[in-house]
Amino acid sequence: MSKFGELIETKVPVLLDFYTEWDDACKNMHPVLRDVAAALGDKARVIKIDVEKNTELAEALRVKGLPTLMIYKNGEMKWRQSGEQDANTLIGLVKEYV
């Protein structure tokens, strides 16, 4: 959990993707997140978190539906939503916090 604190305590926005390898909706998000990361460059970070390898964190954040996406900045959650999103929507959301 202490590593999670280090991940989100940044001046640039962090887009977190909570996923599993076996979920189709999560698989559909992989290329979308690559596009988001490429479009934002060093203005933000995109981090994927496998809920099966990080069950304690997923439970602490009450991740139920997958994929669950969150935006953090300076350690504070700014946005959260479960389900698939398109790249343009995510890029726009993250840019609000740059």
Coordinates of all heavy atoms in Angstrom, one line a residue:
M1 N 0.8 -1.2 0.0 CA 0.0 0.0 0.0 C 0.9 1.3 0.0 O 0.5 2.3 -0.5 CB -0.9 0.0 1.2 CG -2.0 -1.0 1.1 SD -3.4 -0.5 0.0 CE -4.7 -0.5 1.2
S2 N 2.0 1.2 0.6 CA 2.9 2.4 0.7 C 3.3 2.8 -0.7 O 3.5 3.9 -1.0 CB 4.1 2.2 1.6 OG 4.9 1.1 1.1
K3 N 3.5 1.8 -1.6 CA 3.9 2.1 -3.0 C 2.8 2.8 -3.7 O 3.1 3.7 -4.5 CB 4.3 0.8 -3.7 CG 5.6 0.2 -3.3 CD 5.9 -1.0 -4.2 CE 7.2 -1.7 -3.7 NZ 7.5 -2.9 -4.5
F4 N 1.6 2.5 -3.4 CA 0.4 3.1 -4.0 C 0.5 4.6 -3.6 O 0.2 5.5 -4.5 CB -0.9 2.5 -3.5 CG -2.1 3.2 -4.1 CD1 -2.4 3.0 -5.5 CD2 -3.0 4.0 -3.4 CE1 -3.5 3.6 -6.0 CE2 -4.1 4.6 -3.9 CZ -4.3 4.4 -5.3
G5 N 0.8 4.9 -2.4 CA 0.9 6.3 -2.0 C 1.9 7.1 -2.8 O 1.7 8.2 -3.2
E6 N 3.0 6.4 -3.1 CA 4.1 7.0 -3.9 C 3.6 7.3 -5.3 O 3.9 8.3 -6.0 CB 5.3 6.2 -3.9 CG 6.0 6.1 -2.6 CD 7.1 5.0 -2.5 OE1 7.6 4.7 -3.6 OE2 7.4 4.6 -1.4
L7 N 2.8 6.3 -5.8 CA 2.3 6.4 -7.2 C 1.4 7.7 -7.4 O 1.4 8.3 -8.4 CB 1.5 5.2 -7.6 CG 2.2 3.9 -7.9 CD1 1.2 2.8 -8.2 CD2 3.2 4.1 -9.0
I8 N 0.5 7.9 -6.4 CA -0.5 8.9 -6.6 C -0.1 10.3 -6.0 O -0.8 11.3 -6.3 CB -1.9 8.5 -5.9 CG1 -1.7 8.3 -4.4 CG2 -2.4 7.3 -6.7 CD1 -3.0 8.1 -3.7
E9 N 1.0 10.4 -5.3 CA 1.5 11.6 -4.7 C 2.3 12.4 -5.7 O 3.5 12.7 -5.4 CB 2.2 11.4 -3.4 CG 1.4 11.2 -2.2 CD 0.6 12.4 -1.7 OE1 1.0 13.6 -2.1 OE2 -0.4 12.3 -1.0
T10 N 1.8 12.7 -6.9 CA 2.6 13.3 -7.9 C 1.9 14.6 -8.3 O 0.7 14.8 -8.2 CB 2.8 12.4 -9.1 OG1 1.5 12.1 -9.7 CG2 3.5 11.2 -8.7
K11 N 2.7 15.5 -8.9 CA 2.1 16.8 -9.4 C 1.4 16.6 -10.7 O 0.6 17.4 -11.1 CB 3.3 17.8 -9.5 CG 3.8 18.3 -8.2 CD 4.8 19.4 -8.3 CE 5.1 20.0 -7.0 NZ 6.3 19.5 -6.3
V12 N 1.8 15.5 -11.4 CA 1.1 15.3 -12.7 C 0.0 14.3 -12.4 O 0.0 13.5 -11.5 CB 2.0 14.7 -13.8 CG1 3.1 15.7 -14.2 CG2 2.6 13.4 -13.4
P13 N -1.1 14.4 -13.2 CA -2.3 13.5 -13.0 C -1.8 12.0 -13.3 O -1.0 11.8 -14.1 CB -3.3 13.9 -14.0 CG -2.8 15.2 -14.6 CD -1.4 15.4 -14.2
V14 N -2.4 11.1 -12.5 CA -2.2 9.7 -12.7 C -3.5 9.0 -13.0 O -4.5 9.1 -12.2 CB -1.6 9.1 -11.4 CG1 -1.3 7.6 -11.7 CG2 -0.3 9.8 -11.0
L15 N -3.6 8.4 -14.2 CA -4.8 7.6 -14.6 C -4.5 6.2 -14.2 O -3.6 5.6 -14.7 CB -5.0 7.8 -16.1 CG -6.2 6.9 -16.7 CD1 -7.5 7.2 -16.0 CD2 -6.2 7.0 -18.2
L16 N -5.3 5.6 -13.3 CA -5.2 4.2 -12.9 C -6.2 3.4 -13.6 O -7.4 3.8 -13.7 CB -5.3 4.1 -11.4 CG -4.4 4.9 -10.5 CD1 -4.7 4.7 -9.1 CD2 -2.9 4.4 -10.8
D17 N -5.8 2.2 -14.1 CA -6.7 1.3 -14.7 C -6.7 0.0 -13.9 O -5.6 -0.7 -13.9 CB -6.3 1.0 -16.1 CG -7.0 -0.2 -16.8 OD1 -8.2 -0.3 -16.5 OD2 -6.4 -0.9 -17.5
F18 N -7.7 -0.3 -13.2 CA -7.8 -1.6 -12.4 C -8.5 -2.6 -13.3 O -9.6 -2.4 -13.8 CB -8.7 -1.4 -11.2 CG -8.0 -0.6 -10.1 CD1 -8.0 0.8 -10.1 CD2 -7.2 -1.2 -9.1 CE1 -7.3 1.6 -9.2 CE2 -6.6 -0.5 -8.1 CZ -6.6 0.9 -8.2
Y19 N -7.8 -3.7 -13.6 CA -8.2 -4.6 -14.6 C -7.9 -6.1 -14.2 O -7.2 -6.3 -13.2 CB -7.5 -4.3 -15.9 CG -6.0 -4.8 -15.9 CD1 -5.6 -6.0 -16.5 CD2 -5.0 -4.0 -15.3 CE1 -4.3 -6.4 -16.5 CE2 -3.7 -4.5 -15.2 CZ -3.4 -5.7 -15.8 OH -2.1 -6.1 -15.8
T20 N -8.4 -7.0 -15.0 CA -7.9 -8.4 -14.9 C -7.6 -8.9 -16.3 O -8.1 -8.3 -17.3 CB -9.0 -9.4 -14.3 OG1 -10.1 -9.3 -15.2 CG2 -9.4 -9.0 -13.0
E21 N -6.8 -9.9 -16.4 CA -6.4 -10.4 -17.8 C -7.5 -11.1 -18.5 O -7.5 -11.1 -19.7 CB -5.2 -11.4 -17.6 CG -3.9 -10.7 -17.2 CD -3.3 -9.8 -18.2 OE1 -3.7 -9.9 -19.4 OE2 -2.5 -8.9 -17.8
W22 N -8.4 -11.7 -17.8 CA -9.5 -12.5 -18.4 C -10.7 -11.8 -18.8 O -11.6 -12.3 -19.5 CB -9.8 -13.7 -17.5 CG -10.2 -13.2 -16.0 CD1 -9.3 -13.2 -15.0 CD2 -11.4 -12.7 -15.6 NE1 -9.9 -12.7 -13.9 CE2 -11.2 -12.4 -14.2 CE3 -12.6 -12.4 -16.1 CZ2 -12.2 -11.8 -13.4 CZ3 -13.6 -11.9 -15.4 CH2 -13.4 -11.6 -14.0
D23 N -10.9 -10.5 -18.4 CA -12.1 -9.7 -18.7 C -12.0 -9.1 -20.0 O -11.1 -8.3 -20.3 CB -12.3 -8.7 -17.5 CG -13.6 -7.9 -17.7 OD1 -14.7 -8.5 -17.4 OD2 -13.5 -6.8 -18.2
D24 N -13.0 -9.3 -20.9 CA -13.0 -8.8 -22.2 C -13.1 -7.2 -22.2 O -12.4 -6.6 -23.0 CB -14.2 -9.3 -23.0 CG -14.0 -10.7 -23.4 OD1 -12.9 -11.2 -23.5 OD2 -15.1 -11.4 -23.7
A25 N -13.9 -6.6 -21.4 CA -13.9 -5.1 -21.3 C -12.5 -4.6 -21.0 O -12.1 -3.6 -21.5 CB -15.0 -4.7 -20.3
C26 N -11.8 -5.3 -20.1 CA -10.5 -4.8 -19.7 C -9.5 -5.0 -20.8 O -8.7 -4.1 -21.1 CB -10.0 -5.6 -18.5 SG -10.9 -5.4 -16.9
K27 N -9.6 -6.1 -21.6 CA -8.8 -6.3 -22.7 C -9.0 -5.2 -23.8 O -8.1 -4.7 -24.4 CB -9.1 -7.6 -23.4 CG -8.5 -8.8 -22.6 CD -8.8 -10.1 -23.3 CE -8.5 -11.3 -22.4 NZ -9.0 -12.5 -23.0
N28 N -10.3 -4.8 -23.9 CA -10.6 -3.7 -24.9 C -10.0 -2.4 -24.5 O -9.8 -1.5 -25.4 CB -12.2 -3.6 -25.0 CG -12.8 -4.8 -25.6 OD1 -12.2 -5.6 -26.3 ND2 -14.1 -4.9 -25.4
M29 N -9.7 -2.2 -23.3 CA -9.2 -0.9 -22.8 C -7.7 -0.8 -23.0 O -7.1 0.3 -23.1 CB -9.4 -0.7 -21.3 CG -10.9 -0.4 -21.0 SD -11.5 1.1 -21.8 CE -10.4 2.3 -21.0
H30 N -7.0 -2.0 -23.3 CA -5.5 -1.9 -23.4 C -5.1 -1.0 -24.6 O -4.3 -0.1 -24.3 CB -4.9 -3.3 -23.7 CG -5.0 -4.2 -22.5 ND1 -4.8 -3.8 -21.2 CD2 -5.3 -5.5 -22.4 CE1 -4.9 -4.8 -20.4 NE2 -5.3 -5.9 -21.1
P31 N -5.6 -1.1 -25.8 CA -5.2 -0.2 -26.8 C -5.6 1.3 -26.6 O -4.9 2.2 -26.9 CB -5.8 -0.7 -28.1 CG -6.9 -1.7 -27.7 CD -6.5 -2.1 -26.3
V32 N -6.8 1.4 -25.9 CA -7.3 2.8 -25.6 C -6.3 3.5 -24.6 O -5.9 4.6 -24.8 CB -8.7 2.7 -24.9 CG1 -9.1 4.1 -24.4 CG2 -9.7 2.2 -26.0
L33 N -5.8 2.7 -23.6 CA -4.9 3.3 -22.6 C -3.5 3.6 -23.3 O -2.9 4.6 -22.9 CB -4.8 2.4 -21.4 CG -6.1 2.3 -20.6 CD1 -6.0 1.2 -19.7 CD2 -6.3 3.6 -19.9
R34 N -3.1 2.8 -24.2 CA -1.9 3.1 -24.9 C -2.0 4.4 -25.7 O -1.1 5.2 -25.7 CB -1.6 1.9 -25.9 CG -0.7 0.8 -25.3 CD 0.0 0.0 -26.4 NE -1.0 -0.7 -27.3 CZ -1.6 -1.8 -27.0 NH1 -1.3 -2.5 -25.9 NH2 -2.5 -2.4 -27.9
D35 N -3.2 4.6 -26.3 CA -3.4 5.8 -27.1 C -3.4 7.0 -26.1 O -2.8 8.1 -26.4 CB -4.7 5.8 -27.8 CG -4.7 4.8 -29.0 OD1 -3.6 4.3 -29.4 OD2 -5.8 4.5 -29.5
V36 N -4.0 6.9 -25.0 CA -4.1 8.0 -24.0 C -2.7 8.3 -23.5 O -2.3 9.5 -23.5 CB -5.0 7.5 -22.8 CG1 -4.9 8.6 -21.6 CG2 -6.4 7.4 -23.2
A37 N -1.9 7.3 -23.2 CA -0.5 7.5 -22.7 C 0.3 8.2 -23.8 O 1.1 9.1 -23.5 CB 0.1 6.2 -22.3
A38 N 0.1 7.8 -25.0 CA 0.9 8.4 -26.1 C 0.5 9.8 -26.3 O 1.3 10.7 -26.5 CB 0.7 7.6 -27.4
A39 N -0.8 10.1 -26.2 CA -1.3 11.5 -26.4 C -0.9 12.4 -25.3 O -0.6 13.6 -25.6 CB -2.8 11.5 -26.6
L40 N -0.8 11.9 -24.1 CA -0.5 12.8 -23.0 C 1.0 12.9 -22.7 O 1.4 13.9 -22.1 CB -1.2 12.3 -21.7 CG -2.7 12.4 -21.7 CD1 -3.3 11.6 -20.6 CD2 -3.2 13.8 -21.7
G41 N 1.8 12.0 -23.2 CA 3.2 12.0 -23.0 C 3.6 12.2 -21.5 O 3.1 11.5 -20.7
D42 N 4.5 13.2 -21.2 CA 4.9 13.3 -19.9 C 4.0 14.3 -19.0 O 4.4 14.6 -17.9 CB 6.4 13.8 -19.8 CG 6.6 15.2 -20.5 OD1 5.6 15.7 -21.1 OD2 7.7 15.7 -20.6
K43 N 2.9 14.6 -19.6 CA 2.0 15.5 -18.8 C 1.1 14.7 -17.8 O 0.5 15.3 -16.9 CB 1.0 16.2 -19.8 CG 1.7 17.2 -20.7 CD 0.6 17.9 -21.5 CE 1.3 18.9 -22.5 NZ 1.5 18.3 -23.8
A44 N 1.1 13.4 -18.0 CA 0.4 12.5 -17.1 C 1.0 11.1 -17.1 O 1.8 10.8 -18.0 CB -1.1 12.5 -17.5
R45 N 0.6 10.3 -16.2 CA 1.0 8.9 -16.1 C -0.2 8.0 -16.2 O -1.3 8.3 -15.7 CB 1.7 8.6 -14.8 CG 3.1 9.3 -14.7 CD 3.8 9.1 -13.4 NE 4.2 7.7 -13.3 CZ 4.5 7.1 -12.2 NH1 4.5 7.7 -11.1 NH2 4.8 5.8 -12.2
V46 N -0.1 6.9 -16.9 CA -1.1 5.9 -17.0 C -0.5 4.6 -16.4 O 0.5 4.1 -16.8 CB -1.5 5.6 -18.5 CG1 -2.5 4.5 -18.6 CG2 -2.0 6.9 -19.1
I47 N -1.2 4.1 -15.4 CA -0.7 2.9 -14.7 C -1.8 1.9 -14.6 O -3.0 2.2 -14.2 CB -0.3 3.3 -13.2 CG1 0.8 4.3 -13.3 CG2 0.1 2.1 -12.4 CD1 1.2 4.9 -12.0
K48 N -1.5 0.7 -15.0 CA -2.4 -0.5 -15.0 C -2.2 -1.3 -13.7 O -1.0 -1.6 -13.4 CB -2.2 -1.3 -16.2 CG -2.5 -0.6 -17.5 CD -2.1 -1.3 -18.8 CE -2.8 -2.6 -19.0 NZ -4.2 -2.5 -19.2
I49 N -3.2 -1.6 -13.0 CA -3.1 -2.4 -11.8 C -4.0 -3.6 -11.9 O -5.2 -3.5 -12.0 CB -3.5 -1.5 -10.6 CG1 -2.6 -0.3 -10.5 CG2 -3.5 -2.4 -9.3 CD1 -3.0 0.7 -9.4
D50 N -3.4 -4.8 -11.9 CA -4.1 -6.1 -11.9 C -4.7 -6.3 -10.6 O -4.0 -6.5 -9.6 CB -3.1 -7.2 -12.3 CG -3.8 -8.5 -12.6 OD1 -4.9 -8.8 -12.0 OD2 -3.2 -9.3 -13.3
V51 N -6.1 -6.4 -10.5 CA -6.7 -6.5 -9.2 C -6.5 -7.9 -8.6 O -6.5 -8.1 -7.4 CB -8.3 -6.3 -9.4 CG1 -8.6 -4.9 -9.7 CG2 -8.9 -7.3 -10.3
E52 N -6.2 -8.9 -9.4 CA -5.9 -10.3 -8.9 C -4.5 -10.3 -8.2 O -4.3 -11.1 -7.3 CB -6.0 -11.3 -10.0 CG -7.4 -11.5 -10.5 CD -7.6 -12.5 -11.5 OE1 -6.7 -12.8 -12.3 OE2 -8.7 -13.1 -11.6
K53 N -3.6 -9.4 -8.6 CA -2.3 -9.4 -7.9 C -2.3 -8.3 -6.8 O -1.3 -8.2 -6.1 CB -1.2 -9.1 -9.0 CG -1.0 -10.2 -10.0 CD 0.0 -9.8 -11.0 CE 0.1 -10.9 -12.0 NZ 0.8 -10.5 -13.2
N54 N -3.3 -7.5 -6.8 CA -3.4 -6.4 -5.8 C -4.7 -6.4 -5.1 O -5.4 -5.3 -5.1 CB -3.1 -5.0 -6.5 CG -1.7 -5.0 -7.1 OD1 -0.8 -4.7 -6.4 ND2 -1.6 -5.2 -8.4
T55 N -5.1 -7.5 -4.6 CA -6.5 -7.6 -4.0 C -6.7 -6.7 -2.8 O -7.8 -6.1 -2.7 CB -6.8 -9.1 -3.6 OG1 -5.7 -9.5 -2.7 CG2 -6.9 -10.0 -4.8
E56 N -5.7 -6.5 -2.0 CA -5.8 -5.6 -0.8 C -6.1 -4.2 -1.2 O -7.0 -3.5 -0.7 CB -4.5 -5.7 0.0 CG -4.6 -5.1 1.4 CD -3.3 -5.2 2.2 OE1 -2.7 -6.3 2.1 OE2 -2.9 -4.2 2.8
L57 N -5.4 -3.7 -2.2 CA -5.6 -2.4 -2.7 C -7.0 -2.2 -3.4 O -7.7 -1.3 -3.1 CB -4.5 -2.0 -3.8 CG -4.6 -0.6 -4.4 CD1 -4.6 0.5 -3.4 CD2 -3.5 -0.5 -5.5
A58 N -7.3 -3.2 -4.2 CA -8.6 -3.2 -4.9 C -9.8 -3.2 -3.8 O -10.8 -2.4 -4.0 CB -8.8 -4.4 -5.8
E59 N -9.6 -3.9 -2.8 CA -10.7 -4.0 -1.7 C -10.7 -2.6 -1.0 O -11.7 -2.1 -0.7 CB -10.4 -5.1 -0.8 CG -10.8 -6.5 -1.4 CD -10.3 -7.6 -0.5 OE1 -10.0 -7.4 0.7 OE2 -10.4 -8.8 -1.0
A60 N -9.5 -2.1 -0.7 CA -9.4 -0.8 0.0 C -10.1 0.3 -0.7 O -10.7 1.2 -0.2 CB -8.0 -0.5 0.3
L61 N -10.0 0.3 -2.1 CA -10.6 1.3 -2.9 C -12.0 0.9 -3.4 O -12.6 1.6 -4.2 CB -9.7 1.6 -4.1 CG -8.3 2.2 -3.8 CD1 -7.4 2.2 -5.0 CD2 -8.5 3.6 -3.2
R62 N -12.5 -0.2 -2.9 CA -13.8 -0.7 -3.2 C -14.0 -0.9 -4.8 O -15.0 -0.4 -5.3 CB -14.9 0.2 -2.6 CG -14.9 0.2 -1.1 CD -16.1 1.0 -0.6 NE -16.1 0.9 0.8 CZ -15.5 1.9 1.6 NH1 -14.9 2.9 1.1 NH2 -15.7 1.7 3.0
V63 N -13.0 -1.4 -5.4 CA -13.2 -1.7 -6.8 C -14.1 -2.9 -7.0 O -13.7 -4.0 -6.6 CB -11.8 -2.0 -7.5 CG1 -11.9 -2.4 -8.9 CG2 -10.9 -0.7 -7.4
K64 N -15.2 -2.7 -7.6 CA -16.2 -3.8 -7.8 C -16.3 -4.2 -9.3 O -16.0 -5.3 -9.7 CB -17.6 -3.4 -7.3 CG -17.6 -3.0 -5.9 CD -17.5 -4.2 -4.9 CE -17.7 -3.8 -3.5 NZ -16.6 -4.3 -2.6
G65 N -16.6 -3.2 -10.2 CA -16.8 -3.4 -11.6 C -15.4 -3.2 -12.3 O -14.6 -2.5 -11.8
L66 N -15.3 -3.9 -13.4 CA -14.0 -3.8 -14.2 C -14.3 -3.5 -15.6 O -15.3 -3.9 -16.1 CB -13.2 -5.1 -14.1 CG -12.7 -5.5 -12.7 CD1 -12.1 -6.9 -12.8 CD2 -11.7 -4.5 -12.2
P67 N -13.5 -2.7 -16.2 CA -12.4 -2.0 -15.6 C -12.8 -0.8 -14.8 O -13.9 -0.3 -15.1 CB -11.6 -1.5 -16.8 CG -12.6 -1.3 -17.9 CD -13.6 -2.4 -17.7
T68 N -12.1 -0.5 -13.7 CA -12.4 0.7 -13.0 C -11.2 1.7 -13.2 O -10.0 1.3 -13.1 CB -12.5 0.4 -11.5 OG1 -13.7 -0.3 -11.3 CG2 -12.6 1.7 -10.7
L69 N -11.6 2.9 -13.6 CA -10.6 3.9 -13.9 C -10.6 5.0 -12.9 O -11.7 5.4 -12.5 CB -10.8 4.5 -15.3 CG -10.8 3.4 -16.4 CD1 -11.5 3.9 -17.7 CD2 -9.4 3.1 -16.8
M70 N -9.5 5.5 -12.5 CA -9.4 6.6 -11.5 C -8.3 7.6 -11.9 O -7.3 7.2 -12.5 CB -9.0 6.1 -10.1 CG -10.0 5.1 -9.6 SD -9.4 4.5 -8.0 CE -10.4 3.1 -7.8
I71 N -8.6 8.9 -11.6 CA -7.6 9.9 -11.8 C -7.2 10.5 -10.5 O -8.1 10.9 -9.7 CB -8.1 11.0 -12.8 CG1 -8.4 10.5 -14.2 CG2 -7.0 12.1 -12.9 CD1 -9.0 11.5 -15.1
Y72 N -5.9 10.5 -10.2 CA -5.4 11.0 -8.9 C -4.4 12.2 -9.3 O -3.8 12.1 -10.3 CB -4.6 10.0 -8.1 CG -5.4 9.1 -7.2 CD1 -6.0 8.0 -7.8 CD2 -5.6 9.4 -5.9 CE1 -6.8 7.1 -6.9 CE2 -6.4 8.6 -5.1 CZ -7.0 7.5 -5.6 OH -7.7 6.6 -4.8
K73 N -4.4 13.2 -8.4 CA -3.4 14.2 -8.5 C -3.1 14.7 -7.1 O -4.0 14.9 -6.3 CB -3.9 15.4 -9.4 CG -2.8 16.4 -9.6 CD -3.1 17.5 -10.6 CE -2.0 18.4 -10.7 NZ -2.3 19.5 -11.7
N74 N -1.8 14.8 -6.8 CA -1.4 15.2 -5.4 C -2.0 14.3 -4.4 O -2.4 14.8 -3.3 CB -1.7 16.7 -5.2 CG -0.9 17.6 -6.1 OD1 0.2 17.3 -6.5 ND2 -1.6 18.6 -6.6
G75 N -2.1 13.0 -4.7 CA -2.7 12.1 -3.7 C -4.2 12.1 -3.5 O -4.7 11.4 -2.7
E76 N -4.9 12.9 -4.3 CA -6.3 13.1 -4.1 C -7.0 12.5 -5.3 O -6.7 12.8 -6.5 CB -6.6 14.5 -4.0 CG -8.1 14.8 -3.7 CD -8.4 16.3 -3.6 OE1 -7.4 17.1 -3.2 OE2 -9.5 16.7 -3.9
M77 N -8.1 11.7 -5.1 CA -8.9 11.2 -6.2 C -9.7 12.3 -6.8 O -10.4 13.0 -6.1 CB -9.8 10.0 -5.8 CG -10.5 9.4 -6.9 SD -11.8 8.2 -6.5 CE -10.8 7.0 -5.6
K78 N -9.6 12.5 -8.1 CA -10.3 13.6 -8.8 C -11.5 13.0 -9.6 O -12.4 13.8 -9.8 CB -9.3 14.3 -9.8 CG -8.1 14.9 -9.1 CD -8.5 16.1 -8.2 CE -7.3 16.8 -7.6 NZ -7.7 17.9 -6.8
W79 N -11.4 11.8 -10.1 CA -12.4 11.2 -10.9 C -12.3 9.7 -10.8 O -11.3 9.2 -10.6 CB -12.2 11.7 -12.3 CG -13.1 11.1 -13.4 CD1 -14.3 11.6 -13.7 CD2 -12.9 9.9 -14.2 NE1 -14.9 10.8 -14.7 CE2 -14.0 9.8 -15.0 CE3 -11.8 9.0 -14.3 CZ2 -14.1 8.8 -15.9 CZ3 -11.9 8.0 -15.2 CH2 -13.1 7.9 -16.0
R80 N -13.5 9.1 -11.0 CA -13.6 7.6 -10.9 C -14.8 7.1 -11.7 O -15.9 7.7 -11.6 CB -13.7 7.1 -9.5 CG -13.9 5.7 -9.3 CD -14.0 5.3 -7.9 NE -14.3 3.8 -7.8 CZ -13.9 3.1 -6.8 NH1 -13.2 3.6 -5.8 NH2 -14.2 1.8 -6.8
Q81 N -14.6 6.1 -12.4 CA -15.7 5.5 -13.2 C -15.4 4.0 -13.5 O -14.2 3.7 -13.9 CB -16.0 6.3 -14.4 CG -17.3 5.8 -15.1 CD -17.9 6.9 -16.0 OE1 -17.6 8.1 -15.9 NE2 -18.6 6.4 -17.0
S82 N -16.4 3.2 -13.5 CA -16.2 1.8 -13.9 C -16.8 1.6 -15.3 O -17.7 2.3 -15.7 CB -16.9 0.8 -13.0 OG -16.3 0.8 -11.7
G83 N -16.2 0.7 -16.1 CA -16.7 0.5 -17.5 C -15.7 1.1 -18.5 O -14.8 1.8 -18.2
E84 N -15.9 0.6 -19.7 CA -15.1 1.1 -20.8 C -15.3 2.6 -21.1 O -16.4 3.1 -21.0 CB -15.4 0.3 -22.1 CG -15.0 -1.2 -22.0 CD -15.3 -2.0 -23.2 OE1 -14.7 -1.6 -24.3 OE2 -16.1 -2.9 -23.2
Q85 N -14.2 3.2 -21.5 CA -14.2 4.6 -21.9 C -13.4 4.7 -23.2 O -12.5 3.9 -23.5 CB -13.5 5.5 -20.8 CG -14.1 5.4 -19.5 CD -15.5 6.2 -19.4 OE1 -15.6 7.2 -20.0 NE2 -16.4 5.6 -18.8
D86 N -13.7 5.8 -24.0 CA -12.9 6.0 -25.2 C -11.8 6.9 -24.9 O -11.7 7.6 -23.9 CB -13.8 6.5 -26.3 CG -14.3 7.9 -26.0 OD1 -13.6 8.8 -26.4 OD2 -15.4 8.0 -25.5
A87 N -10.8 6.8 -25.8 CA -9.5 7.5 -25.6 C -9.7 9.0 -25.5 O -9.2 9.7 -24.6 CB -8.5 7.2 -26.7
N88 N -10.6 9.6 -26.3 CA -10.8 11.1 -26.3 C -11.4 11.5 -25.0 O -11.0 12.6 -24.5 CB -11.6 11.5 -27.5 CG -10.9 11.4 -28.8 OD1 -9.6 11.5 -28.9 ND2 -11.6 11.2 -29.9
T89 N -12.3 10.8 -24.5 CA -12.9 11.1 -23.2 C -11.9 11.1 -22.1 O -11.8 12.1 -21.3 CB -14.1 10.1 -22.9 OG1 -15.1 10.2 -23.9 CG2 -14.7 10.4 -21.5
L90 N -11.1 10.1 -22.1 CA -10.1 10.0 -21.0 C -9.0 11.1 -21.1 O -8.6 11.7 -20.1 CB -9.4 8.6 -21.0 CG -10.3 7.4 -20.6 CD1 -9.6 6.1 -20.8 CD2 -10.6 7.6 -19.1
I91 N -8.6 11.3 -22.4 CA -7.6 12.4 -22.6 C -8.2 13.7 -22.1 O -7.5 14.5 -21.4 CB -7.2 12.5 -24.1 CG1 -6.4 11.2 -24.4 CG2 -6.4 13.7 -24.3 CD1 -6.2 11.0 -25.9
G92 N -9.4 14.0 -22.4 CA -10.0 15.3 -22.0 C -10.1 15.4 -20.5 O -9.9 16.4 -19.9
L93 N -10.5 14.2 -19.8 CA -10.6 14.2 -18.4 C -9.3 14.5 -17.7 O -9.2 15.3 -16.8 CB -11.2 12.9 -17.9 CG -12.7 12.7 -18.1 CD1 -13.1 11.2 -18.0 CD2 -13.5 13.5 -17.1
V94 N -8.2 13.8 -18.2 CA -6.9 13.9 -17.6 C -6.4 15.4 -17.8 O -5.8 16.0 -16.9 CB -5.9 12.9 -18.1 CG1 -4.5 13.2 -17.6 CG2 -6.4 11.5 -17.7
K95 N -6.6 15.9 -19.0 CA -6.1 17.3 -19.3 C -6.7 18.3 -18.3 O -6.1 19.4 -18.1 CB -6.4 17.6 -20.7 CG -5.4 17.0 -21.7 CD -5.6 17.5 -23.1 CE -4.5 17.0 -24.0 NZ -4.7 17.4 -25.4
E96 N -7.9 18.1 -17.8 CA -8.5 19.0 -16.8 C -7.6 19.2 -15.6 O -7.7 20.2 -14.9 CB -9.9 18.5 -16.4 CG -11.0 18.6 -17.4 CD -12.3 18.0 -16.9 OE1 -12.6 18.1 -15.7 OE2 -13.1 17.5 -17.7
Y97 N -6.8 18.2 -15.3 CA -6.0 18.2 -14.1 C -4.5 18.4 -14.3 O -3.7 18.4 -13.4 CB -6.2 16.9 -13.3 CG -7.6 16.7 -13.0 CD1 -8.4 15.7 -13.7 CD2 -8.3 17.5 -12.0 CE1 -9.7 15.5 -13.4 CE2 -9.7 17.3 -11.8 CZ -10.4 16.3 -12.5 OH -11.7 16.1 -12.2
V98 N -4.1 18.7 -15.6 CA -2.7 18.9 -15.9 C -2.3 20.3 -15.4 O -3.0 21.2 -15.4 CB -2.5 18.8 -17.4 CG1 -1.1 19.3 -17.8 CG2 -2.7 17.4 -17.9

